[in-house]
Amino acid sequence: MKLAVLLADDQLSTKILEKTIGLCQAFAEAPEITLIHVINARAIAEDVEVGADVEGNLAFDAEKLIAEKGAVLEKAGISYKTAILNGFPAKEVNRYAKEKALDMIIMGHHDLSLVQKVTIGSVANKVVQQAECPVLLIK
């Protein structure tokens, strides 16, 4: 079984990893885990000084985040792969899931206000609507 765990730099990622470890331990055969973080350099580039290496800095932070979270899996005896994607999160996660023939996407879901849902939407909602595989949402 091929699982992808979508990580963000928030406290929910810890809970997502705890649930993922429990799920992995329930399988008879260890699943293939990929930790994913999506950066979107285009979304913040206009707020940064000219000449700054936005994409490089975001990629460095993403690698650091994945290494920190991956250490939790390693401590539990679970091996993993990594993927840092660049673009709009829902679109990139679903593209990756299809390309790698994933069996499940595991990700967090934040409660949004009605205004937030209408104006910015929810990455989790978009992933669920567009995914071709099951999506496990952790709150």
Side-chain angles (χ1 to χ4, degrees):
M1 175 168 260
K2 294 164 66 172
L3 307 176
V5 181
L6 182 60
L7 299 173
D9 192 12
D10 60 14
Q11 293 179 341
L12 188 54
S13 290
T14 301
K15 187 174 182 181
I16 293 167
L17 288 174
E18 290 171 1
K19 296 294 183 183
T20 299
I21 290 168
L23 187 62
C24 289
Q25 292 170 341
F27 287 120
E29 186 176 319
E32 180 182 306
I33 302 289
T34 303
L35 297 181
I36 298 175
H37 183 72
V38 183
I39 59 176
N40 190 350
R42 289 177 283 171
I44 66 165
E46 59 193 43
D47 294 333
V48 180
E49 293 179 27
V50 175
D53 182 12
V54 175
E55 193 167 333
N57 290 333
L58 289 174
F60 177 80
D61 290 345
E63 289 172 7
K64 183 178 172 185
L65 170 72
I66 287 178
E68 289 172 2
K69 302 303 181 182
V72 175
L73 292 180
E74 288 173 356
K75 187 175 179 180
I78 298 171
S79 60
Y80 65 95
K81 297 177 181 182
T82 65
I84 298 173
L85 311 177
N86 192 347
F88 296 104
K91 181 179 178 181
E92 293 304 315
V93 168
N94 281 318
R95 181 193 56 76
Y96 184 87
K98 184 175 181 179
E99 181 181 296
K100 299 296 182 181
L102 296 178
D103 296 301
M104 182 183 292
I105 300 167
I106 302 171
M107 64 184 296
H109 180 288
H110 295 282
D111 290 328
L112 299 176
S113 70
L114 180 58
V115 173
Q116 288 173 316
K117 287 178 186 174
V118 171
T119 59
I120 62 170
S122 161
V123 171
N125 188 42
K126 291 174 185 170
V127 170
V128 168
Q129 289 178 352
Q130 299 167 6
E132 294 182 11
C133 65
V135 179
L136 175 61
L137 296 177
I138 309 293
K139 286 179 81 174

